Amino acid sequence: MKNSFAERCYKILRKVPRGKVTTYGEIAKALKSNAYRAVGNAMNKNPFPGSKVPCHRVVKSNGEVGGFASETGKKVSMLKEEGINIVEGKIDLGKYLYKF
DNA sequence: ACGGTGACGCTCA
DNA sequence: TTGAGCGCCACCG
């Protein structure tokens, strides 16, 4: 159960500093895999919503926040609060995309 | 063992 | 530019 792909994603996600965001693709690359789908799955099964694993800090490669914020939009506001400039649910990856 | 599913990514029209 | 389709890997039933 430990050292599983999901655990890997969480670990990487945790090393993303506040005010920055990462993409599923970057996480997959960090895992030496192109399993961006699996990364999303791991987040979906995320055992620690909010504090341990800041899933809201993970965005899509095109700059969209992602499905988890589609319904409420609260997560978007949360990212903004961290200092990330978001316009219409789009994040400026050129400024806030954290690279491993 | 197999197939379906999913918080995605990229290319083509 | 926008929309649609195809491909990717890992997990669950």
Side-chain angles (χ1 to χ4, degrees):
Chain A
M1 168 72 190
K2 293 168 179 35
N3 290 353
S4 118
F5 199 91
E7 294 281 315
R8 248 4 192 152
C9 299
Y10 307 147
K11 188 156 124 180
I12 294 170
L13 186 48
R14 269 169 72 239
K15 72 195 223 22
V16 178
R18 177 178 168 283
K20 290 269 188 164
V21 293
T22 188
T23 68
Y24 297 95
E26 287 298 302
I27 294 174
K29 298 284 190 200
L31 294 173
K32 299 290 186 293
S33 298
N34 295 318
Y36 22 76
R37 304 294 309 186
V39 175
N41 264 356
M43 296 299 116
N44 187 6
K45 291 161 183 148
N46 182 353
F48 307 105
S51 304
K52 193 168 173 60
V53 183
C55 342
H56 58 272
R57 245 178 237 166
V58 185
V59 299
K60 306 213 308 189
S61 302
N62 71 318
E64 292 181 70
V65 179
F68 65 89
S70 300
E71 292 187 56
T72 59
K74 298 279 192 181
K75 312 301 184 189
V76 178
S77 300
M78 187 172 163
L79 289 166
K80 286 167 139 187
E81 197 174 321
E82 292 196 351
I84 299 169
N85 180 18
I86 303 178
V87 181
E88 297 296 291
K90 303 291 200 303
I91 298 177
D92 205 323
L93 295 178
K95 294 180 180 181
Y96 304 108
L97 177 58
Y98 177 80
K99 295 159 194 173
F100 299 103

